[in-house]
Amino acid sequence: MEKRYYWMKFQRDFFKSLRIKRLRRLAGGDTFTIISLKLQLLSITSEGILTYNHVFGSFAEEMAEEIDEDIDNVQITIDYLLQCGLMEETEEDTFFLPYAAENIGSEYL
């Protein structure tokens, strides 16, 4: 039985990107950066798409539960990602992470 393996490439200058530098400089920025990476990894099997399923009261709350992070920190991260174009709401309840989508790969082994 073949298994499908996923990976996400990171550009060598990922942490030198102005948007990531700005995120890291916020109070709690290292936590927000980790949350951003966790959200990207959560989207790895759906080509950069995260969907709000209305199981919890908000998208941020649902994502916080999925990635085991504090809801307030997840909300701040989502707000930042939306503001700077690292996340887009493509339609109601559907969010797209363009960087993740561009850098996801998979193969069957």
Side-chain angles (χ1 to χ4, degrees):
M1 180 165 96
E2 286 186 319
K3 287 188 177 184
R4 188 169 185 178
Y5 291 89
Y6 294 89
W7 66 85
M8 196 160 86
K9 301 178 286 183
F10 285 91
Q11 296 172 359
R12 191 171 66 199
D13 62 350
F14 176 82
F15 288 103
K16 292 182 180 184
S17 139
L18 292 178
R19 291 183 282 189
I20 298 302
K21 280 184 173 185
R22 181 174 171 220
L23 178 62
R24 292 192 66 218
R25 286 196 175 121
L26 298 174
D30 289 339
T31 297
F32 304 148
T33 303
I34 295 297
I35 291 170
S36 170
L37 293 172
K38 283 181 154 186
L39 291 172
Q40 289 181 55
L41 289 172
L42 186 61
S43 77
I44 203 166
T45 60
S46 58
E47 299 180 8
I49 295 173
L50 296 173
T51 304
Y52 174 40
N53 297 305
H54 296 272
V55 175
F56 289 84
S58 70
F59 176 65
E61 188 178 355
E62 199 164 288
M63 292 300 104
E65 184 67 25
E66 286 277 353
I67 63 173
D68 297 316
E69 293 287 346
D70 175 76
I71 186 172
D72 293 330
N73 288 336
V74 171
Q75 184 64 64
I76 290 167
T77 304
I78 289 170
D79 290 344
Y80 177 82
L81 296 175
L82 287 167
Q83 173 196 353
C84 72
L86 291 173
M87 177 184 279
E88 303 165 2
E89 187 169 9
T90 55
E91 54 189 70
E92 188 174 343
D93 300 332
T94 303
F95 298 83
F96 178 63
L97 298 158
Y99 181 86
E102 293 170 13
N103 294 289
I104 291 171
S106 69
E107 66 181 311
Y108 289 99
L109 295 178

